[in-house]
Amino acid sequence: MSDGRVNNNADQKEEQEQQQNQVKAPAKRSLGLLITTYGCLFVGSIASSLLAKYYFVHGGSSRWVSTWVQSAGFPLLLVLIYFPHFVFKTTKRRPFTRFTRRHLLFSVVIGLILGFNNFLFSWGTSYLPVSTSSLLLSTQLIFTLILSVIIVKQKVTFSNLNCVVLLTLSSVLLALGSSQDKPVGLTKTKYFIGFLSTIGAGLLFALYLPVTERVYRSVYCYAMVMEMQLFMEFSATVFATIGMAFDGGFKEMVKEANQVFTKGPTVYWTVAILANVVTWQLCFAATSGMVYLTSGITGGICMTALLAMNVIGGVVVYGDEFGGVKIVSTVLCIWGFSSYVYGLYVKLKKDEKKEKGSYTGVKTAEDGGEMEVEMGKVKDDDVAAADERV
């Protein structure tokens, strides 16, 4: 009998350890952090799209340069990783605490895939008009929903399904109403290459979102997400740097700056390159943060919703036409995104009613492996469980 009890205790201990390895998200997230993250995504996504267009409009043509700038700003993430602990003293968790080899391996593999995705995106945008590119990239939202159901068991609700349909329809209308953007002299071969490249980029990004959501279940805090993002972007930069080295991309940058770029070398290096590096890094870091704070499908919805803002940005910055079709597309986009946000709000209220007295705190910092809860009420058992998980 005693041996049986020992075995049962051992089995229970092993089961508890397995449960502890899966870090469960709290019922409430920090609203301030979520708003800040989406604000960074908003600014980064729109600015990077406009600057990418700025690079090609004024004479830039290298696909490897366009790929490289999307990830080369990874050292900027060191500010987000080290400053909160060493400068601002807002967290007691030391950087890279509990960052395992498993996290490193996942980061490197996902980063290489992300680098290839960036290359496909650059290749597609160098050939396809904005209208066709928007149409093809909008399909990633459908793929994201399907893959989220398969990989992370995402529940299909009226809220997310309605949002996916409306945002996809918005992008389709936007594309169909922008046929005048088609470049002159585009051959069928280049169009076919651009078509396949953009579809591939959309599929890879759709896979990236739920995969990172699943990986982030073993992540203990927001800072750890940025640490994984650092290695992802580093791996993507290595991929792009190797490609540039074999293709002569670095020499191409100097040539473009001095001879090709119509705004001159100073604007080339500060706006077309440096500003692109910063805004792309802001966009990708915020995307990872959104996936961690919410879900992969929410991250995809937020990215697709910003297509309408990109249209408005094009109208303001480049004087693009804003006709009836684009107005309807923008309204559908706002409608779809608003309906999803309302669905999240309703779900949150239902969860609060069901989980009265259960954990509703905000995961903000770690103190020597223990989580500090600054908001909400928790049961004693839940506090102990939360401490063990973190």
Side-chain angles (χ1 to χ4, degrees):
M1 291 291 293
S2 61
D3 292 339
R5 291 178 180 177
V6 171
N7 290 334
N8 289 334
N9 291 334
D11 293 339
Q12 291 177 358
K13 185 177 181 181
E14 183 179 354
E15 183 178 352
Q16 289 176 356
E17 290 176 353
Q18 291 176 354
Q19 292 176 353
Q20 291 168 9
N21 290 332
Q22 297 292 326
V23 180
K24 296 182 180 179
K28 269 189 179 178
R29 295 291 188 182
S30 170
L31 182 60
L33 181 60
L34 185 61
I35 293 175
T36 301
T37 301
Y38 188 70
C40 292
L41 178 62
F42 182 89
V43 174
S45 177
I46 296 176
S48 59
S49 298
L50 293 176
L51 288 171
K53 183 176 181 180
Y54 185 87
Y55 168 76
F56 287 108
V57 163
H58 295 289
S61 60
S62 174
R63 300 177 194 91
W64 280 113
V65 170
S66 180
T67 302
W68 186 78
V69 298
Q70 293 181 54
S71 58
F74 69 89
L76 296 173
L77 294 174
L78 293 173
V79 175
L80 299 177
I81 294 172
Y82 283 97
F83 273 44
H85 178 74
F86 291 104
V87 178
F88 302 126
K89 308 294 184 182
T90 56
T91 174
K92 296 181 180 180
R93 175 188 178 272
R94 294 182 64 85
F96 296 98
T97 300
R98 295 194 176 185
F99 193 90
T100 65
R101 293 181 180 178
R102 182 171 176 267
H103 292 127
L104 177 61
L105 178 61
F106 276 127
S107 301
V108 171
V109 173
I110 294 174
L112 292 175
I113 295 174
L114 187 62
F116 183 62
N117 176 78
N118 294 342
F119 177 71
L120 290 177
F121 175 80
S122 298
W123 195 283
T125 53
S126 68
Y127 283 142
L128 295 182
V130 174
S131 57
T132 306
S133 179
S134 298
L135 173 61
L136 297 177
L137 287 175
S138 67
T139 60
Q140 66 88 13
L141 190 57
I142 300 175
F143 296 139
T144 300
L145 179 59
I146 296 173
L147 292 173
S148 294
V149 171
I150 297 173
I151 297 175
V152 296
K153 310 303 180 184
Q154 173 72 44
K155 292 183 179 179
V156 179
T157 63
F158 174 78
S159 177
N160 57 34
L161 184 60
N162 177 63
C163 182
V164 167
V165 171
L166 289 174
L167 289 179
T168 302
L169 180 59
S170 170
S171 298
V172 170
L173 287 176
L174 174 63
L176 295 178
S178 306
S179 57
Q180 67 273 15
D181 293 336
K182 185 177 181 179
V184 179
L186 185 69
T187 64
K188 290 184 178 180
T189 302
K190 290 182 178 180
Y191 182 89
F192 185 68
I193 293 174
F195 184 92
L196 292 179
S197 298
T198 307
I199 284 290
L203 282 171
L204 281 179
F205 192 75
L207 177 63
Y208 163 80
L209 292 173
V211 166
T212 52
E213 179 185 350
R214 187 174 181 85
V215 172
Y216 289 160
R217 290 179 178 178
S218 64
V219 168
Y220 299 94
C221 61
Y222 193 89
M224 202 169 180
V225 174
M226 295 299 105
E227 292 163 4
M228 291 191 67
Q229 186 67 19
L230 176 71
F231 286 103
M232 289 181 193
E233 296 298 327
F234 173 76
S235 301
T237 304
V238 170
F239 175 86
T241 302
I242 293 174
M244 287 183 68
F246 278 98
D247 195 53
F250 292 104
K251 294 181 180 179
E252 186 72 18
M253 292 176 71
V254 177
K255 181 181 177 181
E256 281 186 345
N258 297 327
Q259 302 178 19
V260 179
F261 201 70
T262 58
K263 293 296 183 178
T266 302
V267 176
Y268 178 85
W269 292 113
T270 56
V271 179
I273 300 299
L274 181 60
N276 245 320
V277 166
V278 174
T279 54
W280 274 114
Q281 199 57 228
L282 187 65
C283 177
F284 282 126
T287 300
S288 294
M290 284 295 298
V291 173
Y292 173 71
L293 293 172
T294 56
S295 65
I297 185 62
T298 301
I301 286 172
C302 291
M303 291 290 291
T304 306
L306 289 175
L307 283 174
M309 298 300 103
N310 288 336
V311 174
I312 296 175
V315 172
V316 174
V317 177
Y318 296 109
D320 294 345
E321 294 184 3
F322 193 61
V325 174
K326 289 186 177 180
I327 294 175
V328 173
S329 176
T330 303
V331 171
L332 285 174
C333 188
I334 296 173
W335 178 17
F337 184 67
S338 299
S339 68
Y340 185 73
V341 172
Y342 178 74
L344 288 179
Y345 172 78
V346 172
K347 183 178 183 299
L348 179 62
K349 289 298 182 182
K350 289 181 179 179
D351 291 341
E352 286 181 349
K353 291 180 180 179
K354 291 180 180 179
E355 300 179 6
K356 285 183 178 180
S358 63
Y359 181 83
T360 57
V362 179
K363 184 165 58 176
T364 56
E366 290 185 10
D367 183 8
E370 294 184 356
M371 185 169 58
E372 298 175 355
V373 179
E374 298 179 355
M375 296 175 58
K377 298 178 180 179
V378 289
K379 292 181 178 179
D380 293 339
D381 294 341
D382 292 333
V383 171
D387 288 340
E388 289 177 355
R389 285 200 301 269
V390 179

mmCIF file of all heavy atoms in Angstrom, residues 287-322:
data_model
loop_
_atom_site.group_PDB
_atom_site.id
_atom_site.type_symbol
_atom_site.label_atom_id
_atom_site.label_comp_id
_atom_site.label_asym_id
_atom_site.label_seq_id
_atom_site.Cartn_x
_atom_site.Cartn_y
_atom_site.Cartn_z
ATOM 1 N N THR A 287 3.735 43.231 -32.904
ATOM 2 C CA THR A 287 2.961 42.056 -33.324
ATOM 3 C C THR A 287 3.156 40.911 -32.337
ATOM 4 O O THR A 287 2.192 40.250 -31.925
ATOM 5 C CB THR A 287 3.376 41.606 -34.733
ATOM 6 O OG1 THR A 287 3.144 42.662 -35.663
ATOM 7 C CG2 THR A 287 2.577 40.386 -35.171
ATOM 8 N N SER A 288 4.400 40.659 -31.948
ATOM 9 C CA SER A 288 4.674 39.609 -30.962
ATOM 10 C C SER A 288 4.000 39.909 -29.632
ATOM 11 O O SER A 288 3.450 39.012 -28.979
ATOM 12 C CB SER A 288 6.185 39.463 -30.761
ATOM 13 O OG SER A 288 6.809 39.002 -31.928
ATOM 14 N N GLY A 289 4.051 41.170 -29.231
ATOM 15 C CA GLY A 289 3.400 41.559 -27.990
ATOM 16 C C GLY A 289 1.900 41.347 -28.038
ATOM 17 O O GLY A 289 1.292 40.887 -27.065
ATOM 18 N N MET A 290 1.265 41.663 -29.181
ATOM 19 C CA MET A 290 -0.171 41.461 -29.323
ATOM 20 C C MET A 290 -0.535 39.981 -29.252
ATOM 21 O O MET A 290 -1.531 39.610 -28.632
ATOM 22 C CB MET A 290 -0.642 42.042 -30.659
ATOM 23 C CG MET A 290 -0.750 43.550 -30.698
ATOM 24 S SD MET A 290 -2.009 44.215 -29.577
ATOM 25 C CE MET A 290 -3.495 43.473 -30.257
ATOM 26 N N VAL A 291 0.279 39.133 -29.879
ATOM 27 C CA VAL A 291 0.019 37.690 -29.844
ATOM 28 C C VAL A 291 0.111 37.177 -28.406
ATOM 29 O O VAL A 291 -0.714 36.372 -27.967
ATOM 30 C CB VAL A 291 1.011 36.935 -30.752
ATOM 31 C CG1 VAL A 291 0.859 35.426 -30.577
ATOM 32 C CG2 VAL A 291 0.781 37.308 -32.216
ATOM 33 N N TYR A 292 1.102 37.649 -27.657
ATOM 34 C CA TYR A 292 1.278 37.208 -26.275
ATOM 35 C C TYR A 292 0.135 37.692 -25.383
ATOM 36 O O TYR A 292 -0.399 36.936 -24.564
ATOM 37 C CB TYR A 292 2.604 37.723 -25.725
ATOM 38 C CG TYR A 292 2.803 37.468 -24.251
ATOM 39 C CD1 TYR A 292 3.031 36.183 -23.772
ATOM 40 C CD2 TYR A 292 2.763 38.522 -23.334
ATOM 41 C CE1 TYR A 292 3.200 35.949 -22.417
ATOM 42 C CE2 TYR A 292 2.938 38.294 -21.981
ATOM 43 C CZ TYR A 292 3.160 37.004 -21.515
ATOM 44 O OH TYR A 292 3.328 36.783 -20.178
ATOM 45 N N LEU A 293 -0.253 38.958 -25.545
ATOM 46 C CA LEU A 293 -1.285 39.538 -24.697
ATOM 47 C C LEU A 293 -2.686 39.055 -25.054
ATOM 48 O O LEU A 293 -3.576 39.042 -24.205
ATOM 49 C CB LEU A 293 -1.240 41.066 -24.782
ATOM 50 C CG LEU A 293 -0.005 41.738 -24.186
ATOM 51 C CD1 LEU A 293 0.001 43.220 -24.509
ATOM 52 C CD2 LEU A 293 0.065 41.519 -22.682
ATOM 53 N N THR A 294 -2.891 38.685 -26.314
ATOM 54 C CA THR A 294 -4.233 38.263 -26.744
ATOM 55 C C THR A 294 -4.156 36.870 -27.361
ATOM 56 O O THR A 294 -4.213 35.880 -26.668
ATOM 57 C CB THR A 294 -4.811 39.278 -27.747
ATOM 58 O OG1 THR A 294 -3.915 39.450 -28.860
ATOM 59 C CG2 THR A 294 -5.026 40.631 -27.081
ATOM 60 N N SER A 295 -4.049 36.796 -28.692
ATOM 61 C CA SER A 295 -3.964 35.518 -29.396
ATOM 62 C C SER A 295 -3.439 35.765 -30.803
ATOM 63 O O SER A 295 -3.341 36.911 -31.258
ATOM 64 C CB SER A 295 -5.335 34.835 -29.469
ATOM 65 O OG SER A 295 -6.236 35.613 -30.253
ATOM 66 N N GLY A 296 -3.104 34.677 -31.497
ATOM 67 C CA GLY A 296 -2.608 34.791 -32.859
ATOM 68 C C GLY A 296 -3.651 35.363 -33.807
ATOM 69 O O GLY A 296 -3.340 36.193 -34.660
ATOM 70 N N ILE A 297 -4.909 34.933 -33.654
ATOM 71 C CA ILE A 297 -5.972 35.406 -34.540
ATOM 72 C C ILE A 297 -6.236 36.891 -34.292
ATOM 73 O O ILE A 297 -6.501 37.650 -35.239
ATOM 74 C CB ILE A 297 -7.264 34.575 -34.353
ATOM 75 C CG1 ILE A 297 -8.325 35.000 -35.387
ATOM 76 C CG2 ILE A 297 -7.792 34.678 -32.950
ATOM 77 C CD1 ILE A 297 -7.936 34.777 -36.809
ATOM 78 N N THR A 298 -6.132 37.341 -33.041
ATOM 79 C CA THR A 298 -6.312 38.762 -32.750
ATOM 80 C C THR A 298 -5.191 39.581 -33.381
ATOM 81 O O THR A 298 -5.435 40.666 -33.928
ATOM 82 C CB THR A 298 -6.347 39.007 -31.236
ATOM 83 O OG1 THR A 298 -7.416 38.252 -30.663
ATOM 84 C CG2 THR A 298 -6.549 40.477 -30.923
ATOM 85 N N GLY A 299 -3.965 39.066 -33.305
ATOM 86 C CA GLY A 299 -2.850 39.748 -33.956
ATOM 87 C C GLY A 299 -3.060 39.870 -35.457
ATOM 88 O O GLY A 299 -2.800 40.921 -36.055
ATOM 89 N N GLY A 300 -3.545 38.792 -36.082
ATOM 90 C CA GLY A 300 -3.809 38.832 -37.515
ATOM 91 C C GLY A 300 -4.920 39.800 -37.862
ATOM 92 O O GLY A 300 -4.845 40.514 -38.873
ATOM 93 N N ILE A 301 -5.960 39.859 -37.030
ATOM 94 C CA ILE A 301 -7.063 40.786 -37.261
ATOM 95 C C ILE A 301 -6.585 42.235 -37.149
ATOM 96 O O ILE A 301 -6.950 43.091 -37.960
ATOM 97 C CB ILE A 301 -8.211 40.509 -36.271
ATOM 98 C CG1 ILE A 301 -8.939 39.220 -36.681
ATOM 99 C CG2 ILE A 301 -9.193 41.666 -36.194
ATOM 100 C CD1 ILE A 301 -9.960 38.744 -35.681
ATOM 101 N N CYS A 302 -5.762 42.506 -36.154
ATOM 102 C CA CYS A 302 -5.239 43.865 -35.979
ATOM 103 C C CYS A 302 -4.375 44.282 -37.171
ATOM 104 O O CYS A 302 -4.468 45.422 -37.659
ATOM 105 C CB CYS A 302 -4.424 43.947 -34.688
ATOM 106 S SG CYS A 302 -5.401 43.808 -33.179
ATOM 107 N N MET A 303 -3.539 43.367 -37.653
ATOM 108 C CA MET A 303 -2.696 43.673 -38.805
ATOM 109 C C MET A 303 -3.541 43.944 -40.044
ATOM 110 O O MET A 303 -3.277 44.889 -40.799
ATOM 111 C CB MET A 303 -1.734 42.516 -39.071
ATOM 112 C CG MET A 303 -0.662 42.328 -38.022
ATOM 113 S SD MET A 303 0.569 43.640 -38.044
ATOM 114 C CE MET A 303 1.386 43.301 -39.608
ATOM 115 N N THR A 304 -4.558 43.120 -40.273
ATOM 116 C CA THR A 304 -5.401 43.296 -41.456
ATOM 117 C C THR A 304 -6.235 44.565 -41.351
ATOM 118 O O THR A 304 -6.464 45.254 -42.354
ATOM 119 C CB THR A 304 -6.325 42.076 -41.637
ATOM 120 O OG1 THR A 304 -5.526 40.883 -41.652
ATOM 121 C CG2 THR A 304 -7.086 42.155 -42.944
ATOM 122 N N ALA A 305 -6.694 44.890 -40.146
ATOM 123 C CA ALA A 305 -7.480 46.110 -39.962
ATOM 124 C C ALA A 305 -6.680 47.350 -40.316
ATOM 125 O O ALA A 305 -7.240 48.363 -40.764
ATOM 126 C CB ALA A 305 -7.965 46.197 -38.515
ATOM 127 N N LEU A 306 -5.369 47.284 -40.152
ATOM 128 C CA LEU A 306 -4.518 48.437 -40.455
ATOM 129 C C LEU A 306 -4.355 48.671 -41.957
ATOM 130 O O LEU A 306 -3.812 49.697 -42.357
ATOM 131 C CB LEU A 306 -3.136 48.253 -39.810
ATOM 132 C CG LEU A 306 -3.117 48.379 -38.288
ATOM 133 C CD1 LEU A 306 -1.734 48.053 -37.738
ATOM 134 C CD2 LEU A 306 -3.527 49.782 -37.859
ATOM 135 N N LEU A 307 -4.827 47.723 -42.791
ATOM 136 C CA LEU A 307 -4.781 47.956 -44.238
ATOM 137 C C LEU A 307 -5.576 49.207 -44.612
ATOM 138 O O LEU A 307 -5.177 49.977 -45.497
ATOM 139 C CB LEU A 307 -5.350 46.736 -44.988
ATOM 140 C CG LEU A 307 -4.437 45.514 -45.104
ATOM 141 C CD1 LEU A 307 -5.208 44.360 -45.740
ATOM 142 C CD2 LEU A 307 -3.191 45.833 -45.912
ATOM 143 N N ALA A 308 -6.691 49.408 -43.939
ATOM 144 C CA ALA A 308 -7.492 50.613 -44.204
ATOM 145 C C ALA A 308 -6.728 51.871 -43.827
ATOM 146 O O ALA A 308 -6.793 52.892 -44.528
ATOM 147 C CB ALA A 308 -8.809 50.539 -43.435
ATOM 148 N N MET A 309 -5.996 51.808 -42.725
ATOM 149 C CA MET A 309 -5.202 52.956 -42.310
ATOM 150 C C MET A 309 -4.057 53.213 -43.291
ATOM 151 O O MET A 309 -3.661 54.356 -43.521
ATOM 152 C CB MET A 309 -4.641 52.726 -40.901
ATOM 153 C CG MET A 309 -5.709 52.557 -39.827
ATOM 154 S SD MET A 309 -6.803 54.000 -39.657
ATOM 155 C CE MET A 309 -8.271 53.409 -40.505
ATOM 156 N N ASN A 310 -3.523 52.133 -43.875
ATOM 157 C CA ASN A 310 -2.485 52.300 -44.886
ATOM 158 C C ASN A 310 -3.023 53.031 -46.113
ATOM 159 O O ASN A 310 -2.318 53.830 -46.743
ATOM 160 C CB ASN A 310 -1.932 50.932 -45.309
ATOM 161 C CG ASN A 310 -1.072 50.298 -44.229
ATOM 162 O OD1 ASN A 310 -0.518 51.000 -43.383
ATOM 163 N ND2 ASN A 310 -0.971 48.984 -44.233
ATOM 164 N N VAL A 311 -4.290 52.752 -46.443
ATOM 165 C CA VAL A 311 -4.922 53.453 -47.566
ATOM 166 C C VAL A 311 -5.013 54.945 -47.266
ATOM 167 O O VAL A 311 -4.665 55.791 -48.097
ATOM 168 C CB VAL A 311 -6.324 52.876 -47.850
ATOM 169 C CG1 VAL A 311 -7.029 53.699 -48.915
ATOM 170 C CG2 VAL A 311 -6.218 51.430 -48.296
ATOM 171 N N ILE A 312 -5.482 55.276 -46.065
ATOM 172 C CA ILE A 312 -5.585 56.681 -45.672
ATOM 173 C C ILE A 312 -4.207 57.339 -45.643
ATOM 174 O O ILE A 312 -4.037 58.491 -46.052
ATOM 175 C CB ILE A 312 -6.274 56.794 -44.301
ATOM 176 C CG1 ILE A 312 -7.715 56.273 -44.393
ATOM 177 C CG2 ILE A 312 -6.271 58.230 -43.800
ATOM 178 C CD1 ILE A 312 -8.443 56.221 -43.073
ATOM 179 N N GLY A 313 -3.206 56.590 -45.159
ATOM 180 C CA GLY A 313 -1.843 57.116 -45.151
ATOM 181 C C GLY A 313 -1.343 57.417 -46.552
ATOM 182 O O GLY A 313 -0.672 58.427 -46.781
ATOM 183 N N GLY A 314 -1.682 56.545 -47.506
ATOM 184 C CA GLY A 314 -1.296 56.790 -48.889
ATOM 185 C C GLY A 314 -1.964 58.031 -49.456
ATOM 186 O O GLY A 314 -1.360 58.786 -50.231
ATOM 187 N N VAL A 315 -3.220 58.251 -49.055
ATOM 188 C CA VAL A 315 -3.949 59.444 -49.519
ATOM 189 C C VAL A 315 -3.299 60.710 -48.970
ATOM 190 O O VAL A 315 -3.093 61.696 -49.685
ATOM 191 C CB VAL A 315 -5.430 59.366 -49.090
ATOM 192 C CG1 VAL A 315 -6.148 60.677 -49.392
ATOM 193 C CG2 VAL A 315 -6.122 58.212 -49.791
ATOM 194 N N VAL A 316 -2.944 60.686 -47.677
ATOM 195 C CA VAL A 316 -2.377 61.873 -47.030
ATOM 196 C C VAL A 316 -0.957 62.150 -47.508
ATOM 197 O O VAL A 316 -0.596 63.285 -47.830
ATOM 198 C CB VAL A 316 -2.413 61.708 -45.498
ATOM 199 C CG1 VAL A 316 -1.700 62.872 -44.814
ATOM 200 C CG2 VAL A 316 -3.845 61.606 -45.003
ATOM 201 N N VAL A 317 -0.120 61.102 -47.554
ATOM 202 C CA VAL A 317 1.303 61.287 -47.844
ATOM 203 C C VAL A 317 1.591 61.382 -49.338
ATOM 204 O O VAL A 317 2.348 62.249 -49.786
ATOM 205 C CB VAL A 317 2.128 60.143 -47.215
ATOM 206 C CG1 VAL A 317 3.606 60.279 -47.570
ATOM 207 C CG2 VAL A 317 1.946 60.129 -45.706
ATOM 208 N N TYR A 318 0.981 60.486 -50.128
ATOM 209 C CA TYR A 318 1.317 60.408 -51.549
ATOM 210 C C TYR A 318 0.221 60.954 -52.464
ATOM 211 O O TYR A 318 0.365 60.904 -53.681
ATOM 212 C CB TYR A 318 1.619 58.953 -51.940
ATOM 213 C CG TYR A 318 2.834 58.407 -51.235
ATOM 214 C CD1 TYR A 318 2.695 57.446 -50.237
ATOM 215 C CD2 TYR A 318 4.111 58.855 -51.547
ATOM 216 C CE1 TYR A 318 3.808 56.938 -49.575
ATOM 217 C CE2 TYR A 318 5.217 58.357 -50.893
ATOM 218 C CZ TYR A 318 5.060 57.400 -49.908
ATOM 219 O OH TYR A 318 6.162 56.909 -49.253
ATOM 220 N N GLY A 319 -0.882 61.446 -51.889
ATOM 221 C CA GLY A 319 -1.936 62.015 -52.699
ATOM 222 C C GLY A 319 -2.715 60.997 -53.504
ATOM 223 O O GLY A 319 -3.270 61.332 -54.559
ATOM 224 N N ASP A 320 -2.783 59.762 -53.044
ATOM 225 C CA ASP A 320 -3.562 58.739 -53.740
ATOM 226 C C ASP A 320 -5.046 59.120 -53.750
ATOM 227 O O ASP A 320 -5.542 59.789 -52.838
ATOM 228 C CB ASP A 320 -3.407 57.367 -53.047
ATOM 229 C CG ASP A 320 -1.978 56.843 -53.150
ATOM 230 O OD1 ASP A 320 -1.205 57.375 -53.971
ATOM 231 O OD2 ASP A 320 -1.647 55.912 -52.396
ATOM 232 N N GLU A 321 -5.745 58.666 -54.781
ATOM 233 C CA GLU A 321 -7.164 58.941 -54.877
ATOM 234 C C GLU A 321 -7.936 58.164 -53.802
ATOM 235 O O GLU A 321 -7.585 57.042 -53.449
ATOM 236 C CB GLU A 321 -7.683 58.554 -56.264
ATOM 237 C CG GLU A 321 -7.102 59.415 -57.390
ATOM 238 C CD GLU A 321 -7.705 59.060 -58.730
ATOM 239 O OE1 GLU A 321 -8.604 58.186 -58.754
ATOM 240 O OE2 GLU A 321 -7.289 59.653 -59.745
ATOM 241 N N PHE A 322 -8.997 58.776 -53.301
ATOM 242 C CA PHE A 322 -9.815 58.150 -52.258
ATOM 243 C C PHE A 322 -11.266 58.184 -52.715
ATOM 244 O O PHE A 322 -12.067 59.016 -52.304
ATOM 245 C CB PHE A 322 -9.646 58.900 -50.929
ATOM 246 C CG PHE A 322 -10.192 58.157 -49.735
ATOM 247 C CD1 PHE A 322 -9.691 56.924 -49.382
ATOM 248 C CD2 PHE A 322 -11.215 58.710 -48.975
ATOM 249 C CE1 PHE A 322 -10.178 56.238 -48.284
ATOM 250 C CE2 PHE A 322 -11.714 58.033 -47.870
ATOM 251 C CZ PHE A 322 -11.194 56.804 -47.524
#
